[in-house]
PDB file of all heavy atoms in Angstrom:
ATOM      1  N   TYR A   1     -32.008  52.796   3.350  1.00 68.00           N
ATOM      2  CA  TYR A   1     -32.337  53.762   2.306  1.00 68.00           C
ATOM      3  C   TYR A   1     -33.556  54.582   2.739  1.00 68.00           C
ATOM      4  O   TYR A   1     -34.310  54.183   3.583  1.00 68.00           O
ATOM      5  CB  TYR A   1     -32.603  53.073   0.967  1.00 68.00           C
ATOM      6  CG  TYR A   1     -33.807  52.150   0.924  1.00 68.00           C
ATOM      7  CD1 TYR A   1     -34.999  52.609   0.394  1.00 68.00           C
ATOM      8  CD2 TYR A   1     -33.728  50.861   1.402  1.00 68.00           C
ATOM      9  CE1 TYR A   1     -36.100  51.789   0.342  1.00 68.00           C
ATOM     10  CE2 TYR A   1     -34.832  50.034   1.354  1.00 68.00           C
ATOM     11  CZ  TYR A   1     -36.012  50.496   0.847  1.00 68.00           C
ATOM     12  OH  TYR A   1     -37.124  49.680   0.807  1.00 68.00           O
ATOM     13  N   VAL A   2     -33.668  55.755   2.149  1.00 71.00           N
ATOM     14  CA  VAL A   2     -34.717  56.702   2.516  1.00 71.00           C
ATOM     15  C   VAL A   2     -35.872  56.576   1.539  1.00 71.00           C
ATOM     16  O   VAL A   2     -35.659  56.584   0.317  1.00 71.00           O
ATOM     17  CB  VAL A   2     -34.184  58.141   2.524  1.00 71.00           C
ATOM     18  CG1 VAL A   2     -35.297  59.138   2.822  1.00 71.00           C
ATOM     19  CG2 VAL A   2     -33.052  58.275   3.537  1.00 71.00           C
ATOM     20  N   VAL A   3     -37.080  56.455   2.074  1.00 70.00           N
ATOM     21  CA  VAL A   3     -38.278  56.458   1.250  1.00 70.00           C
ATOM     22  C   VAL A   3     -38.872  57.854   1.376  1.00 70.00           C
ATOM     23  O   VAL A   3     -39.411  58.236   2.394  1.00 70.00           O
ATOM     24  CB  VAL A   3     -39.296  55.391   1.760  1.00 70.00           C
ATOM     25  CG1 VAL A   3     -40.575  55.461   0.930  1.00 70.00           C
ATOM     26  CG2 VAL A   3     -38.679  54.017   1.700  1.00 70.00           C
ATOM     27  N   ASP A   4     -38.683  58.665   0.310  1.00 75.00           N
ATOM     28  CA  ASP A   4     -39.151  60.053   0.336  1.00 75.00           C
ATOM     29  C   ASP A   4     -40.636  60.162   0.093  1.00 75.00           C
ATOM     30  O   ASP A   4     -41.304  60.982   0.716  1.00 75.00           O
ATOM     31  CB  ASP A   4     -38.431  60.881  -0.713  1.00 75.00           C
ATOM     32  CG  ASP A   4     -36.968  61.111  -0.384  1.00 75.00           C
ATOM     33  OD1 ASP A   4     -36.642  61.146   0.828  1.00 75.00           O
ATOM     34  OD2 ASP A   4     -36.154  61.232  -1.297  1.00 75.00           O
ATOM     35  N   PHE A   5     -41.173  59.396  -0.830  1.00 80.00           N
ATOM     36  CA  PHE A   5     -42.563  59.516  -1.190  1.00 80.00           C
ATOM     37  C   PHE A   5     -43.339  58.321  -0.616  1.00 80.00           C
ATOM     38  O   PHE A   5     -43.019  57.185  -0.908  1.00 80.00           O
ATOM     39  CB  PHE A   5     -42.732  59.562  -2.712  1.00 80.00           C
ATOM     40  CG  PHE A   5     -42.123  60.795  -3.310  1.00 80.00           C
ATOM     41  CD1 PHE A   5     -40.861  60.770  -3.863  1.00 80.00           C
ATOM     42  CD2 PHE A   5     -42.833  61.976  -3.311  1.00 80.00           C
ATOM     43  CE1 PHE A   5     -40.305  61.909  -4.396  1.00 80.00           C
ATOM     44  CE2 PHE A   5     -42.261  63.154  -3.842  1.00 80.00           C
ATOM     45  CZ  PHE A   5     -41.020  63.095  -4.388  1.00 80.00           C
ATOM     46  N   LEU A   6     -44.361  58.634   0.153  1.00 85.00           N
ATOM     47  CA  LEU A   6     -45.168  57.595   0.794  1.00 85.00           C
ATOM     48  C   LEU A   6     -46.454  57.327  -0.015  1.00 85.00           C
ATOM     49  O   LEU A   6     -47.007  58.244  -0.611  1.00 85.00           O
ATOM     50  CB  LEU A   6     -45.536  58.055   2.203  1.00 85.00           C
ATOM     51  CG  LEU A   6     -44.348  58.339   3.096  1.00 85.00           C
ATOM     52  CD1 LEU A   6     -44.798  58.984   4.392  1.00 85.00           C
ATOM     53  CD2 LEU A   6     -43.562  57.068   3.379  1.00 85.00           C
ATOM     54  N   PRO A   7     -46.908  56.078  -0.027  1.00 90.00           N
ATOM     55  CA  PRO A   7     -48.130  55.765  -0.764  1.00 90.00           C
ATOM     56  C   PRO A   7     -49.350  56.398  -0.121  1.00 90.00           C
ATOM     57  O   PRO A   7     -49.515  56.334   1.110  1.00 90.00           O
ATOM     58  CB  PRO A   7     -48.195  54.244  -0.729  1.00 90.00           C
ATOM     59  CG  PRO A   7     -47.341  53.837   0.409  1.00 90.00           C
ATOM     60  CD  PRO A   7     -46.326  54.911   0.589  1.00 90.00           C
ATOM     61  N   LYS A   8     -50.183  56.986  -0.930  1.00 94.00           N
ATOM     62  CA  LYS A   8     -51.436  57.613  -0.477  1.00 94.00           C
ATOM     63  C   LYS A   8     -52.520  57.285  -1.501  1.00 94.00           C
ATOM     64  O   LYS A   8     -52.250  56.777  -2.568  1.00 94.00           O
ATOM     65  CB  LYS A   8     -51.290  59.134  -0.396  1.00 94.00           C
ATOM     66  CG  LYS A   8     -50.221  59.629   0.551  1.00 94.00           C
ATOM     67  CD  LYS A   8     -50.633  59.436   1.984  1.00 94.00           C
ATOM     68  CE  LYS A   8     -49.554  60.017   2.905  1.00 94.00           C
ATOM     69  NZ  LYS A   8     -49.910  59.824   4.289  1.00 94.00           N
ATOM     70  N   ILE A   9     -53.751  57.605  -1.169  1.00 97.00           N
ATOM     71  CA  ILE A   9     -54.893  57.481  -2.053  1.00 97.00           C
ATOM     72  C   ILE A   9     -55.499  58.860  -2.241  1.00 97.00           C
ATOM     73  O   ILE A   9     -55.688  59.613  -1.286  1.00 97.00           O
ATOM     74  CB  ILE A   9     -55.960  56.542  -1.474  1.00 97.00           C
ATOM     75  CG1 ILE A   9     -55.442  55.103  -1.348  1.00 97.00           C
ATOM     76  CG2 ILE A   9     -57.247  56.575  -2.281  1.00 97.00           C
ATOM     77  CD1 ILE A   9     -55.226  54.398  -2.647  1.00 97.00           C
ATOM     78  N   LYS A  10     -55.771  59.199  -3.495  1.00 98.00           N
ATOM     79  CA  LYS A  10     -56.436  60.483  -3.815  1.00 98.00           C
ATOM     80  C   LYS A  10     -57.845  60.177  -4.275  1.00 98.00           C
ATOM     81  O   LYS A  10     -58.050  59.416  -5.212  1.00 98.00           O
ATOM     82  CB  LYS A  10     -55.666  61.228  -4.890  1.00 98.00           C
ATOM     83  CG  LYS A  10     -56.267  62.568  -5.248  1.00 98.00           C
ATOM     84  CD  LYS A  10     -55.385  63.237  -6.296  1.00 98.00           C
ATOM     85  CE  LYS A  10     -55.976  64.501  -6.804  1.00 98.00           C
ATOM     86  NZ  LYS A  10     -55.123  65.116  -7.850  1.00 98.00           N
ATOM     87  N   ILE A  11     -58.806  60.784  -3.597  1.00 98.00           N
ATOM     88  CA  ILE A  11     -60.228  60.622  -3.925  1.00 98.00           C
ATOM     89  C   ILE A  11     -60.727  61.944  -4.494  1.00 98.00           C
ATOM     90  O   ILE A  11     -60.460  63.001  -3.920  1.00 98.00           O
ATOM     91  CB  ILE A  11     -61.046  60.292  -2.670  1.00 98.00           C
ATOM     92  CG1 ILE A  11     -60.587  58.932  -2.106  1.00 98.00           C
ATOM     93  CG2 ILE A  11     -62.530  60.245  -2.976  1.00 98.00           C
ATOM     94  CD1 ILE A  11     -61.174  58.627  -0.753  1.00 98.00           C
ATOM     95  N   GLU A  12     -61.407  61.854  -5.622  1.00 98.00           N
ATOM     96  CA  GLU A  12     -61.995  63.072  -6.229  1.00 98.00           C
ATOM     97  C   GLU A  12     -63.495  62.852  -6.413  1.00 98.00           C
ATOM     98  O   GLU A  12     -63.914  61.781  -6.834  1.00 98.00           O
ATOM     99  CB  GLU A  12     -61.349  63.340  -7.593  1.00 98.00           C
ATOM    100  CG  GLU A  12     -59.856  63.583  -7.514  1.00 98.00           C
ATOM    101  CD  GLU A  12     -59.228  63.692  -8.894  1.00 98.00           C
ATOM    102  OE1 GLU A  12     -59.235  64.810  -9.449  1.00 98.00           O
ATOM    103  OE2 GLU A  12     -58.757  62.659  -9.398  1.00 98.00           O
ATOM    104  N   ALA A  13     -64.266  63.881  -6.115  1.00 96.00           N
ATOM    105  CA  ALA A  13     -65.709  63.814  -6.320  1.00 96.00           C
ATOM    106  C   ALA A  13     -66.222  65.213  -6.639  1.00 96.00           C
ATOM    107  O   ALA A  13     -65.811  66.184  -5.994  1.00 96.00           O
ATOM    108  CB  ALA A  13     -66.395  63.284  -5.073  1.00 96.00           C
ATOM    109  N   VAL A  14     -67.089  65.307  -7.615  1.00 96.00           N
ATOM    110  CA  VAL A  14     -67.789  66.569  -7.931  1.00 96.00           C
ATOM    111  C   VAL A  14     -69.205  66.404  -7.399  1.00 96.00           C
ATOM    112  O   VAL A  14     -69.898  65.455  -7.724  1.00 96.00           O
ATOM    113  CB  VAL A  14     -67.785  66.849  -9.442  1.00 96.00           C
ATOM    114  CG1 VAL A  14     -68.572  68.130  -9.736  1.00 96.00           C
ATOM    115  CG2 VAL A  14     -66.360  66.976  -9.958  1.00 96.00           C
ATOM    116  N   ILE A  15     -69.595  67.355  -6.527  1.00 95.00           N
ATOM    117  CA  ILE A  15     -70.863  67.213  -5.828  1.00 95.00           C
ATOM    118  C   ILE A  15     -71.634  68.534  -5.862  1.00 95.00           C
ATOM    119  O   ILE A  15     -71.077  69.594  -6.077  1.00 95.00           O
ATOM    120  CB  ILE A  15     -70.600  66.816  -4.349  1.00 95.00           C
ATOM    121  CG1 ILE A  15     -69.783  67.863  -3.628  1.00 95.00           C
ATOM    122  CG2 ILE A  15     -69.942  65.447  -4.278  1.00 95.00           C
ATOM    123  CD1 ILE A  15     -69.648  67.643  -2.124  1.00 95.00           C
ATOM    124  N   PRO A  16     -72.942  68.448  -5.621  1.00 94.00           N
ATOM    125  CA  PRO A  16     -73.699  69.698  -5.474  1.00 94.00           C
ATOM    126  C   PRO A  16     -73.233  70.457  -4.248  1.00 94.00           C
ATOM    127  O   PRO A  16     -72.833  69.872  -3.242  1.00 94.00           O
ATOM    128  CB  PRO A  16     -75.153  69.207  -5.279  1.00 94.00           C
ATOM    129  CG  PRO A  16     -75.159  67.806  -5.766  1.00 94.00           C
ATOM    130  CD  PRO A  16     -73.784  67.267  -5.564  1.00 94.00           C
ATOM    131  N   THR A  17     -73.282  71.782  -4.311  1.00 94.00           N
ATOM    132  CA  THR A  17     -72.778  72.620  -3.221  1.00 94.00           C
ATOM    133  C   THR A  17     -73.442  72.316  -1.892  1.00 94.00           C
ATOM    134  O   THR A  17     -72.795  72.343  -0.847  1.00 94.00           O
ATOM    135  CB  THR A  17     -72.972  74.124  -3.575  1.00 94.00           C
ATOM    136  OG1 THR A  17     -72.327  74.368  -4.835  1.00 94.00           O
ATOM    137  CG2 THR A  17     -72.397  75.025  -2.529  1.00 94.00           C
ATOM    138  N   GLU A  18     -74.735  71.953  -1.917  1.00 95.00           N
ATOM    139  CA  GLU A  18     -75.432  71.695  -0.643  1.00 95.00           C
ATOM    140  C   GLU A  18     -74.926  70.424   0.086  1.00 95.00           C
ATOM    141  O   GLU A  18     -75.145  70.264   1.262  1.00 95.00           O
ATOM    142  CB  GLU A  18     -76.952  71.618  -0.826  1.00 95.00           C
ATOM    143  CG  GLU A  18     -77.430  70.622  -1.847  1.00 95.00           C
ATOM    144  CD  GLU A  18     -77.537  71.193  -3.265  1.00 95.00           C
ATOM    145  OE1 GLU A  18     -77.088  72.312  -3.506  1.00 95.00           O
ATOM    146  OE2 GLU A  18     -78.092  70.474  -4.120  1.00 95.00           O
ATOM    147  N   LEU A  19     -74.215  69.556  -0.622  1.00 95.00           N
ATOM    148  CA  LEU A  19     -73.625  68.361   0.020  1.00 95.00           C
ATOM    149  C   LEU A  19     -72.228  68.590   0.572  1.00 95.00           C
ATOM    150  O   LEU A  19     -71.664  67.727   1.249  1.00 95.00           O
ATOM    151  CB  LEU A  19     -73.558  67.209  -0.971  1.00 95.00           C
ATOM    152  CG  LEU A  19     -74.808  66.478  -1.347  1.00 95.00           C
ATOM    153  CD1 LEU A  19     -74.507  65.343  -2.315  1.00 95.00           C
ATOM    154  CD2 LEU A  19     -75.518  65.930  -0.120  1.00 95.00           C
ATOM    155  N   LEU A  20     -71.644  69.771   0.307  1.00 96.00           N
ATOM    156  CA  LEU A  20     -70.229  70.014   0.616  1.00 96.00           C
ATOM    157  C   LEU A  20     -69.874  69.782   2.066  1.00 96.00           C
ATOM    158  O   LEU A  20     -68.965  69.034   2.377  1.00 96.00           O
ATOM    159  CB  LEU A  20     -69.836  71.415   0.171  1.00 96.00           C
ATOM    160  CG  LEU A  20     -68.367  71.771   0.416  1.00 96.00           C
ATOM    161  CD1 LEU A  20     -67.454  70.876  -0.396  1.00 96.00           C
ATOM    162  CD2 LEU A  20     -68.106  73.233   0.086  1.00 96.00           C
ATOM    163  N   GLU A  21     -70.561  70.452   2.986  1.00 97.00           N
ATOM    164  CA  GLU A  21     -70.204  70.358   4.408  1.00 97.00           C
ATOM    165  C   GLU A  21     -70.336  68.930   4.942  1.00 97.00           C
ATOM    166  O   GLU A  21     -69.486  68.445   5.693  1.00 97.00           O
ATOM    167  CB  GLU A  21     -71.008  71.335   5.236  1.00 97.00           C
ATOM    168  CG  GLU A  21     -70.669  72.767   5.004  1.00 97.00           C
ATOM    169  CD  GLU A  21     -69.167  73.084   5.134  1.00 97.00           C
ATOM    170  OE1 GLU A  21     -68.545  72.626   6.109  1.00 97.00           O
ATOM    171  OE2 GLU A  21     -68.630  73.800   4.270  1.00 97.00           O
ATOM    172  N   ASN A  22     -71.406  68.239   4.543  1.00 97.00           N
ATOM    173  CA  ASN A  22     -71.606  66.858   4.983  1.00 97.00           C
ATOM    174  C   ASN A  22     -70.505  65.960   4.432  1.00 97.00           C
ATOM    175  O   ASN A  22     -70.043  65.049   5.106  1.00 97.00           O
ATOM    176  CB  ASN A  22     -72.960  66.321   4.537  1.00 97.00           C
ATOM    177  CG  ASN A  22     -74.102  66.958   5.318  1.00 97.00           C
ATOM    178  OD1 ASN A  22     -73.905  67.465   6.399  1.00 97.00           O
ATOM    179  ND2 ASN A  22     -75.291  66.925   4.757  1.00 97.00           N
ATOM    180  N   ALA A  23     -70.091  66.197   3.186  1.00 97.00           N
ATOM    181  CA  ALA A  23     -69.039  65.386   2.583  1.00 97.00           C
ATOM    182  C   ALA A  23     -67.710  65.621   3.275  1.00 97.00           C
ATOM    183  O   ALA A  23     -66.953  64.666   3.556  1.00 97.00           O
ATOM    184  CB  ALA A  23     -68.909  65.672   1.087  1.00 97.00           C
ATOM    185  N   ILE A  24     -67.401  66.862   3.586  1.00 97.00           N
ATOM    186  CA  ILE A  24     -66.164  67.187   4.290  1.00 97.00           C
ATOM    187  C   ILE A  24     -66.157  66.529   5.663  1.00 97.00           C
ATOM    188  O   ILE A  24     -65.174  65.897   6.076  1.00 97.00           O
ATOM    189  CB  ILE A  24     -65.956  68.719   4.408  1.00 97.00           C
ATOM    190  CG1 ILE A  24     -65.621  69.302   3.037  1.00 97.00           C
ATOM    191  CG2 ILE A  24     -64.851  69.036   5.397  1.00 97.00           C
ATOM    192  CD1 ILE A  24     -65.595  70.822   3.007  1.00 97.00           C
ATOM    193  N   ASP A  25     -67.250  66.625   6.396  1.00 97.00           N
ATOM    194  CA  ASP A  25     -67.360  65.994   7.718  1.00 97.00           C
ATOM    195  C   ASP A  25     -67.200  64.494   7.623  1.00 97.00           C
ATOM    196  O   ASP A  25     -66.516  63.869   8.457  1.00 97.00           O
ATOM    197  CB  ASP A  25     -68.689  66.332   8.378  1.00 97.00           C
ATOM    198  CG  ASP A  25     -68.765  67.764   8.867  1.00 97.00           C
ATOM    199  OD1 ASP A  25     -67.698  68.432   8.985  1.00 97.00           O
ATOM    200  OD2 ASP A  25     -69.903  68.259   9.077  1.00 97.00           O
ATOM    201  N   ALA A  26     -67.796  63.889   6.595  1.00 97.00           N
ATOM    202  CA  ALA A  26     -67.680  62.444   6.421  1.00 97.00           C
ATOM    203  C   ALA A  26     -66.228  62.020   6.195  1.00 97.00           C
ATOM    204  O   ALA A  26     -65.760  61.026   6.768  1.00 97.00           O
ATOM    205  CB  ALA A  26     -68.562  61.982   5.259  1.00 97.00           C
ATOM    206  N   ILE A  27     -65.502  62.769   5.375  1.00 98.00           N
ATOM    207  CA  ILE A  27     -64.106  62.440   5.122  1.00 98.00           C
ATOM    208  C   ILE A  27     -63.293  62.655   6.397  1.00 98.00           C
ATOM    209  O   ILE A  27     -62.453  61.807   6.759  1.00 98.00           O
ATOM    210  CB  ILE A  27     -63.550  63.298   3.958  1.00 98.00           C
ATOM    211  CG1 ILE A  27     -64.238  62.952   2.642  1.00 98.00           C
ATOM    212  CG2 ILE A  27     -62.029  63.071   3.823  1.00 98.00           C
ATOM    213  CD1 ILE A  27     -63.944  63.909   1.522  1.00 98.00           C
ATOM    214  N   LEU A  28     -63.512  63.776   7.068  1.00 97.00           N
ATOM    215  CA  LEU A  28     -62.746  64.043   8.324  1.00 97.00           C
ATOM    216  C   LEU A  28     -62.914  62.946   9.333  1.00 97.00           C
ATOM    217  O   LEU A  28     -61.924  62.465   9.918  1.00 97.00           O
ATOM    218  CB  LEU A  28     -63.220  65.372   8.942  1.00 97.00           C
ATOM    219  CG  LEU A  28     -62.703  66.659   8.282  1.00 97.00           C
ATOM    220  CD1 LEU A  28     -63.388  67.865   8.913  1.00 97.00           C
ATOM    221  CD2 LEU A  28     -61.208  66.755   8.431  1.00 97.00           C
TER     222      LEU A  28
END
């Protein structure tokens, strides 16, 4: 059988703009 949808995790965070680039780099 075909598994179309794969399990993932969605992370959401609201942060100050000055933390944005560091947060993106940390996730990457």
Side-chain angles (χ1 to χ4, degrees):
Y1 66 99
V2 176
V3 178
D4 290 329
F5 294 98
L6 301 171
K8 300 288 183 180
I9 295 290
K10 181 178 174 182
I11 297 171
E12 298 173 87
V14 177
I15 61 172
T17 304
E18 56 270 9
L19 286 181
L20 181 63
E21 291 306 316
N22 289 338
I24 289 173
D25 287 342
I27 295 169
L28 283 173

